[in-house]
Amino acid sequence: MTGLLAIYAFDDIWRVGKYVYYGLLALQHRGQGAFQVYALSNEGIAGGLFKEIRQEVFAELNGWSMIAAAFPDYVDVRKCSYLLKGTDLELAVLLDSSPGAPPAEEVANVIYSKAVGGNLAKAVEEAVQLLHGVNDLLVMSSLGEVVAYRSTPGLRPLVVGSYGFDMVIVASEAPAVSIVGGEVRRSLSPGELIYITRYLVRSKRIKHCSRCSVCALELVYMARPDAIIDGVEVYAFRRRLGEKLAEVFDKDVDVVIGVPETAIPYAIGLAQALGKRFELGFVSTGSRARSALKADPLERLAAIQLKMNPVRGVFVGKKVAIVDDSLVTGATAKTVIQILRNRVGAKEVHLLLASPKIVRECPHGLPLPSREELLAANLDDDLALKYVEADSITWIPTDALESTAEEHGISLCLSCLEGGERS
Amino acid sequence: MKVLIVGDGGREHALGLMVSKSAVEPTIYVAAGHRNPGLLKLAEGSGGRMYTTNVLDPASVVKVAEGTSPDLVIVGPEEPQFHGVVDALKERGFTVFGATSKLARIEMSKAFARELMWKHGIPGRLAYRAFASMEEALEYMEMAGDVVIKPARQAGGKGVKVLADTQAYLMDDRARVKKDYVRKLFREIASKYKDIDVKVLIEQRVEGVEYTVMVVTDGSTVLPLPAVQDHPHAFEMDLGPETGGMGSIAGPGIVPPFLTRDEFELSVDIIRKTIQALQKELGEEYRGAISGQMMLTAVWGPTVIEFYSRFGDPEIANLLPIIESDFLDILDRAATGRLAGAKLRIREDLATVVKAIAPMGYPNNKSIARGHPVEVGSEALSKSDCYLLYSAVELRDDGRLYTTGSRAFEVVCSGGTIEEASAKAEEVVAAVRCTDGWPLIHRADIGSRELLRERIELAERIRAVYRYRAERGVLGTSIVWVPGKGIFFDPLQSPVKVRR
């Protein structure tokens, strides 16, 4: 889930540090555990690891070519980031995490052994073919080269953008490009790398997938709604899923709300399809931390509660449909429903989930809670209803998610979801 | 009939090929700075010959002309025009197609061109500031805002810095880059060119779809050629630095898919008005080619980015596969003031694609791009109906071709659609390689369906805005309100001052 960012200026009068700062701000929902930044200047590659993104950092750590990553707190940064100081060549490597994948140090060493006297694109290609399971990758060399690689089957997005004649920007999500005034050119394909130097920019598909697929949770949960993944507008995709929720929902409600903030596009789609009012139900306090990605349960609860100050009048005496984007442990849903019933006085509360049941761990290393911690894997529907104390629970069927993906011309990895065994 | 072509690029090769198709079967002579093998073959094949000479030196070119007594001289590139080659030839009584040094100021001095447009109220003009003093330019940069910084003199189509500056939070950083760039430009222009006072131009930045409109004129009649779209970015996906052009698309017909007939006519009209204004100011007849590097913008609709006192390179090559008229006759009529009544007949059913091939290093490090042996697989070319134009390659005494640092070849293909022509071009491009293994760059994406669709979508978006603005009577204006200071009609009057 790491947020990756590379900014490369063709003219060395640029210092792109400030661009990296704002780009990372646009990617921080993908990881807030640690931020690793590498910068190339005439003195070679310098790096820094930070707990938070602060602008002052970039006064020192700056250059005309930079790569950076926003890591979630579950990631072991030492395995995902490495600076190799060779005698003739320095390499900085940033990797998205993945279980069983080679650590950044090993990846850097293999690339180094292939790159000396050759070109970085070929070296990365050989390293990817040689090592098993290399995930999404950014590599920067002291010779002014950058390589970005999107792994197969394409679980995470990676886009290429430009700032006029002056810069190339590669980022996990499109908003990091537009926030610095750039234009998104296109998504990299799964298995495609892009090689950027001052005199040459080339892209090449070095690995193919028989069935390329994007992680379903990117589309339903992770990515910003203003992102575009493989040509699909995330907001439109989510609103469409909300409409499909209406098809399987048979209760009568007065209002529809989306909670947390990430669930709003579904709620809008659902409300429009039901012909009911969409309301602003909760106001969030503080940062946009992703509650489900917090490792510590207490921290997770704190993050949820901070997002959930109710707008009372919306709920008093009303039949409410609340839409959440996912149900992992059910902690968010239970907290919200308690607030609505006990503190505010809603008449009925119906819970709708915009993602299908998560019933399995992620084979690609997304740190969903283990099987024992997944609500849908442990509680049957009746017990789940009693546990969260809702009047009804409606899940989006996995086939509705699949058909929405088909409508948008993409294929999803559904491995962790009920009915998603095939992929 | 004897024709002398001055110049040695892909454009001159294209012109030579079109001229050689004439019914009068001309003998072609060439005055070139380097031995362009395409022009060499063309000249020798027609019974003429090539003279290697300094084409920037009027006396040297006159000497070649006096030795060959041509009925018509075609001066292709801008630099010989700037240096007075056309003037010197005309003084000796030669019939010349090409702008005189005075008229060529429309290209050489971007400040002159803008001033002319404003003075004569020609549509499609952008707000600008011209600077002869570096200190003044630097001071202005403190509050420049969303601008383009250009060398005030034409410098091979390069040196333009487009600085989209619409994020307040990145403003101070961009102000620093602007100032550094202004210093760099002043140094470069001052050391390289002694023929211009104004060194740097700041222009209102605009966005939109670019295209080139080229015309042939004898000073009173204007004969437009089909509109062409060039691709200035060096690398695929429209990434990387600005080049002289990595390829161009056109057709089928006079207007490419992203442009309307009206927009084309308006563009031609802008060029017509510019020719009239030029002649009025300078008292000379314009006999040659003049091109508008245009952009469809929200500010004006058709807008002038800059003028060329010549045909575009590679854009003129798009005409090569489709022209049916006798092009030599057209150029000769323009040069002798008999263009009225001349018609341009083209194959209306064909789209054309030109792709440039350049050695790695182009455009920003020509010294590493120079001197690489390069060869063309003749098989791919003989099977194809495409043309291969020789540009920055020279034939050395060892009989081999070497790159000279700029775009080496242009592949010119036609087809029922732009995509089809592009696919043909790719086959020929694949047959060109450096025998020392040096990488060549070209853009496979030029002529692709994706890129064309993007251009069409962008044009539609821009078209909606300029039509909205036209209906409300604000076409060509930008209203700036600086609270407490007043209302201005100058987009370069920035309401926000960058802190020092």
Side-chain angles (χ1 to χ4, degrees):
Chain A
M1 285 286 178
T2 302
L4 295 173
L5 178 68
I7 302 186
Y8 187 100
F10 291 102
D11 186 337
D12 61 13
I13 69 172
W14 288 97
R15 297 284 172 272
V16 300
K18 212 162 177 187
Y19 290 70
V20 171
Y21 168 73
Y22 284 102
L24 281 176
L25 282 187
L27 295 174
Q28 61 177 330
H29 61 287
R30 303 186 68 84
Q32 291 190 321
F35 301 92
Q36 175 73 54
V37 179
Y38 292 110
L40 175 66
S41 65
N42 293 335
E43 283 81 49
I45 299 177
L49 180 68
F50 308 98
K51 282 304 288 174
E52 53 194 72
I53 325 167
R54 284 180 304 113
Q55 214 176 134
E56 302 82 74
V57 162
F58 297 98
E60 288 280 311
L61 192 55
N62 214 335
W64 52 269
S65 170
M66 293 178 75
I67 60 173
F71 290 114
D73 55 8
Y74 61 81
V75 162
D76 181 353
V77 176
R78 287 165 304 174
K79 283 190 173 164
C80 296
S81 154
Y82 190 75
L83 176 58
L84 189 157
K85 292 250 177 198
T87 48
D88 40 4
L89 178 69
E90 295 173 13
L91 288 179
V93 169
L94 289 170
L95 273 173
D96 198 352
S97 67
S98 176
E105 181 175 358
E106 188 185 348
V107 175
N109 277 311
V110 174
I111 294 173
Y112 181 83
S113 69
K114 309 279 180 192
V116 173
N119 99 29
L120 191 64
K122 250 189 123 50
V124 171
E125 181 177 350
E126 285 175 24
V128 167
Q129 308 291 7
L130 196 74
L131 298 165
H132 181 71
V134 176
N135 212 327
D136 297 359
L137 176 72
L138 296 177
V139 188
M140 179 166 79
S141 85
S142 52
L143 301 176
E145 302 158 291
V146 165
V147 172
Y149 168 65
R150 184 180 178 197
S151 59
T152 51
L155 296 169
R156 311 279 156 240
L158 202 57
V159 302
V160 180
S162 63
Y163 173 78
F165 294 112
D166 283 85
M167 295 178 203
V168 178
I169 303 161
V170 182
S172 291
E173 291 184 33
V177 176
S178 35
I179 210 75
V180 297
E183 264 183 75
V184 176
R185 303 308 316 167
R186 69 169 170 87
S187 287
L188 281 181
S189 300
E192 185 179 13
L193 66 72
I194 182 165
Y195 173 59
I196 306 159
T197 73
R198 188 160 290 179
Y199 306 122
L200 203 66
V201 174
R202 265 179 192 168
S203 63
K204 185 181 178 191
R205 194 100 187 247
I206 59 168
K207 269 191 126 173
H208 292 267
C209 25
S210 51
R211 193 166 173 258
C212 300
S213 52
V214 184
C215 170
L217 297 188
E218 283 288 342
L219 279 144
V220 298
Y221 178 70
M222 192 68 222
R224 287 168 55 136
D226 52 348
I228 294 169
I229 298 180
D230 291 336
V232 177
E233 208 182 303
V234 172
Y235 174 74
F237 186 94
R238 291 179 185 169
R239 199 184 47 200
R240 180 79 185 114
L241 267 186
E243 289 169 16
K244 293 205 167 171
L245 264 174
E247 290 170 17
V248 293
F249 182 64
D250 57 1
K251 307 289 186 290
D252 180 41
V253 291
D254 303 313
V255 294
V256 176
I257 60 149
V259 76
E261 192 191 14
T262 46
I264 288 173
Y266 305 105
I268 291 171
L270 175 67
Q272 278 169 358
L274 291 175
K276 300 295 177 186
R277 284 215 311 272
F278 165 77
E279 295 272 21
L280 178 70
F282 293 92
V283 177
S284 159
T285 303
S287 77
R288 296 166 36 93
R290 286 286 154 102
S291 51
L293 293 185
K294 294 278 180 195
D296 178 58
L298 198 64
E299 269 187 46
R300 196 156 66 220
L301 193 62
I304 294 165
Q305 289 168 343
L306 276 170
K307 289 180 190 174
M308 304 298 167
N309 204 44
V311 181
R312 307 180 66 88
V314 169
F315 302 108
V316 180
K318 301 273 175 52
K319 291 182 278 184
V320 184
I322 59 173
V323 188
D324 196 347
D325 42 20
S326 56
L327 191 67
V328 181
T329 63
T332 308
K334 193 172 170 74
T335 309
V336 170
I337 294 168
Q338 271 177 357
I339 292 170
L340 292 186
R341 284 197 193 284
N342 307 350
R343 277 178 47 201
V344 184
K347 194 171 163 195
E348 286 175 24
V349 183
H350 300 274
L351 177 63
L352 293 100
L353 286 317
S355 58
K357 288 179 189 171
I358 295 177
V359 294
R360 252 169 271 110
E361 286 169 45
C362 173
H364 307 290
L366 184 68
L368 299 165
S370 62
R371 200 181 152 77
E372 306 85 79
E373 293 174 279
L374 290 169
L375 179 132
N378 292 285
L379 279 63
D380 63 28
D381 287 0
D382 186 48
L383 196 56
L385 193 65
K386 287 175 178 157
Y387 166 67
V388 300
E389 298 184 24
D391 290 281
S392 71
I393 301 182
T394 307
W395 301 81
I396 189 92
T398 299
D399 57 6
L401 183 57
E402 263 188 304
S403 69
T404 306
E406 264 166 42
E407 284 169 25
H408 287 85
I410 54 169
S411 169
L412 298 180
C413 171
L414 305 162
S415 294
C416 63
L417 303 175
E418 183 182 56
E421 292 86 353
R422 277 165 300 143
S423 50
Chain B
M1 186 172 176
K2 289 195 283 187
V3 179
L4 171 64
I5 296 173
V6 179
D8 46 31
R11 169 187 39 226
E12 287 70 42
H13 191 188
L15 288 172
L17 285 169
M18 286 194 277
V19 162
S20 71
K21 288 181 183 173
S22 168
V24 303
E25 295 180 13
T27 307
I28 296 172
Y29 298 90
V30 180
H34 69 263
R35 282 177 38 170
N36 176 318
L39 283 164
L40 181 65
K41 188 177 162 199
L42 194 67
E44 287 177 352
S46 72
R49 60 171 288 199
M50 172 181 274
Y51 298 85
T52 318
T53 184
N54 179 4
V55 294
L56 302 186
D57 175 38
S60 305
V61 178
V62 165
K63 208 174 132 199
V64 174
E66 283 174 341
T68 51
S69 312
D71 302 294
L72 176 68
V73 187
I74 301 166
V75 180
E78 67 278 14
E79 286 294 340
Q81 296 174 358
F82 300 164
H83 283 80
V85 167
V86 175
D87 314 26
L89 288 166
K90 284 192 166 176
E91 263 168 40
R92 303 296 163 97
F94 290 102
T95 304
V96 187
F97 180 89
T100 61
S101 61
K102 266 175 147 181
L103 292 165
R105 282 181 70 202
I106 194 68
E107 170 162 6
M108 189 188 85
S109 166
K110 293 173 189 180
F112 171 79
R114 284 293 177 220
E115 196 186 338
L116 187 82
M117 292 186 79
W118 279 90
K119 184 175 174 189
H120 292 264
I122 297 168
R125 59 190 183 274
L126 292 174
Y128 76 102
R129 299 273 193 284
F131 295 96
S133 140
M134 184 163 83
E135 285 64 38
E136 282 172 26
L138 288 175
E139 198 188 320
Y140 186 78
M141 284 306 134
E142 289 283 344
M143 43 163 285
D146 199 15
V147 294
V148 176
I149 305 174
K150 292 178 169 181
R153 186 198 190 279
Q154 171 64 282
K158 285 175 278 289
V160 175
K161 203 83 167 164
V162 182
L163 287 153
D165 195 3
T166 51
Q167 287 77 26
Y169 45 88
L170 291 168
M171 222 169 165
D172 49 0
D173 212 55
R174 286 175 183 149
R176 182 194 61 77
V177 169
K178 284 172 196 166
K179 284 191 272 185
D180 282 358
Y181 192 67
V182 162
R183 285 190 197 97
K184 188 173 152 183
L185 270 189
F186 264 91
R187 269 199 312 275
E188 278 175 12
I189 303 288
S191 69
K192 231 169 136 182
Y193 300 110
K194 306 294 173 200
D195 52 6
I196 197 150
D197 293 330
V198 175
K199 301 291 189 283
V200 167
L201 207 70
I202 313 298
E203 243 173 44
Q204 168 189 14
R205 187 183 69 90
V206 282
E207 283 175 2
V209 179
E210 285 190 82
Y211 57 98
T212 308
V213 174
M214 300 178 282
V215 309
V216 172
T217 184
D218 63 358
S220 48
T221 299
V222 166
L223 185 70
L225 309 185
V228 176
Q229 181 172 56
D230 185 23
H231 293 71
H233 286 277
F235 310 123
E236 279 164 22
M237 295 186 245
D238 286 341
L239 299 176
E242 185 182 33
T243 68
M246 291 304 292
S248 51
I249 60 171
I254 296 285
V255 180
F258 50 81
L259 208 63
T260 67
R261 186 82 203 193
D262 276 1
E263 287 157 355
F264 178 71
E265 297 295 345
L266 279 170
S267 307
V268 172
D269 201 49
I270 287 171
I271 296 173
R272 186 179 291 119
K273 288 186 166 107
T274 304
I275 295 168
Q276 285 161 359
L278 257 180
Q279 296 185 146
K280 199 171 164 198
E281 289 291 321
L282 302 174
E284 282 186 21
E285 274 192 325
Y286 200 115
R287 292 183 172 180
I290 176 168
S291 314
Q293 175 61 63
M294 309 295 296
M295 188 189 273
L296 201 64
T297 71
V299 180
W300 275 107
T303 305
V304 175
I305 299 303
E306 57 190 27
F307 288 109
Y308 307 143
S309 56
R310 51 176 168 95
F311 294 118
D313 188 358
E315 293 98 317
I316 191 61
N318 288 78
L319 191 59
L320 177 56
I322 57 167
I323 186 159
E324 291 186 320
S325 302
D326 188 323
F327 199 56
L328 175 57
D329 183 53
I330 289 174
L331 299 186
D332 189 45
R333 282 168 173 271
T336 51
R338 302 176 294 117
L339 195 59
K343 281 259 178 322
L344 183 77
R345 277 175 295 108
I346 58 163
R347 287 278 305 270
E348 297 269 357
D349 56 332
L350 290 180
T352 55
V353 170
V354 180
K355 295 200 183 201
I357 305 170
M360 186 179 80
Y362 176 79
N364 287 340
N365 189 346
K366 290 192 182 171
S367 62
I368 65 165
R370 194 175 295 139
H372 299 283
V374 62
E375 67 174 26
V376 183
S378 52
E379 218 177 289
L381 203 59
S382 62
K383 280 192 297 189
S384 162
D385 62 351
C386 297
Y387 297 85
L388 183 74
L389 302 180
Y390 292 81
S391 195
V393 281
E394 61 180 354
L395 185 63
R396 290 195 189 160
D397 293 340
D398 62 3
R400 293 166 73 184
L401 297 178
Y402 290 85
T403 62
T404 63
S406 194
R407 293 165 294 178
F409 300 96
E410 290 164 15
V411 177
V412 188
C413 301
S414 59
T417 63
I418 287 171
E419 256 183 293
E420 192 189 317
S422 172
K424 281 191 197 170
E426 285 302 306
E427 285 173 28
V428 179
V429 169
V432 179
R433 63 182 195 103
C434 283
T435 51
D436 64 353
W438 190 256
L440 292 169
I441 59 169
H442 93 286
R443 288 188 50 180
D445 62 341
I446 291 173
S448 69
R449 184 184 305 185
E450 294 76 27
L451 216 52
L452 195 59
R453 193 184 53 218
E454 263 179 48
R455 301 283 194 261
I456 292 170
E457 283 170 8
L458 177 60
E460 280 168 1
R461 208 163 71 220
I462 297 288
R463 191 168 293 130
V465 185
Y466 88 72
R467 284 183 177 166
Y468 160 93
R469 301 184 86 244
E471 278 168 22
R472 278 150 190 82
V474 290
L475 207 60
T477 65
S478 307
I479 300 170
V480 179
W481 174 46
V482 186
K485 293 252 170 63
I487 297 166
F488 303 89
F489 293 87
D490 177 355
L492 293 181
Q493 186 76 45
S494 168
V496 184
K497 200 169 172 120
V498 174
R499 63 180 182 276
R500 276 166 200 269

